């Protein structure tokens, strides 16, 4: 299951993804993408994604090819 939390700093929208990115999640993430890209810059935070299937990888590749910044790694512990 994937959760998407959209955040904005006024210039860039960040879609913070948590969970797994699999084929059933693609339509929802595409809707977020289409809405967010009309509003300005977009980045996707993948730091809390545990698994990505081939459909998810394909969508992320399309997003990246269209200028979306993909953030990967680990969030720092406070």
């Amino acid at each position: 299951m994937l959760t998407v939390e959209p955040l904005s700093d006024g210039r860039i929208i960040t879609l913070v993804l948590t969970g797994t990115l699999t084929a059933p999640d693609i339509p929802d993430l595409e809707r977020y993408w289409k809405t967010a890209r009309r509003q300005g810059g977009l980045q996707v935070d993948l730091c809390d994604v545990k698994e990505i299937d081939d459909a998810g990888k394909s969508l992320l590749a399309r997003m990246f090819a269209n200028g979306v910044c993909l953030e990967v790694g680990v969030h720092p512990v406070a």
Side-chain angles (χ1 to χ4, degrees):
M1 181 178 168
L2 182 73
T3 59
V4 180
E5 180 182 1
L7 304 174
S8 178
D9 68 0
R11 297 179 303 114
I12 296 174
I13 295 172
T14 301
L15 299 178
V16 180
L17 308 186
T18 303
T20 59
L21 176 53
T22 58
D25 304 307
I26 300 303
D28 286 337
L29 185 53
E30 284 182 317
R31 277 192 291 280
Y32 275 106
W33 176 27
K34 289 175 184 176
T35 300
R37 71 181 173 187
R38 288 191 296 255
Q39 298 174 8
L42 176 65
Q43 65 182 21
V44 176
D45 181 332
L46 299 165
C47 295
D48 291 325
V49 173
K50 306 301 180 209
E51 180 183 338
I52 304 172
D53 71 4
D54 288 340
K57 290 175 187 175
S58 178
L59 176 58
L60 292 174
R62 283 190 293 133
M63 294 173 82
F64 183 76
N66 283 278
V68 175
C69 176
L70 304 177
E71 183 180 337
V72 296
V74 178
H75 289 289
V77 177

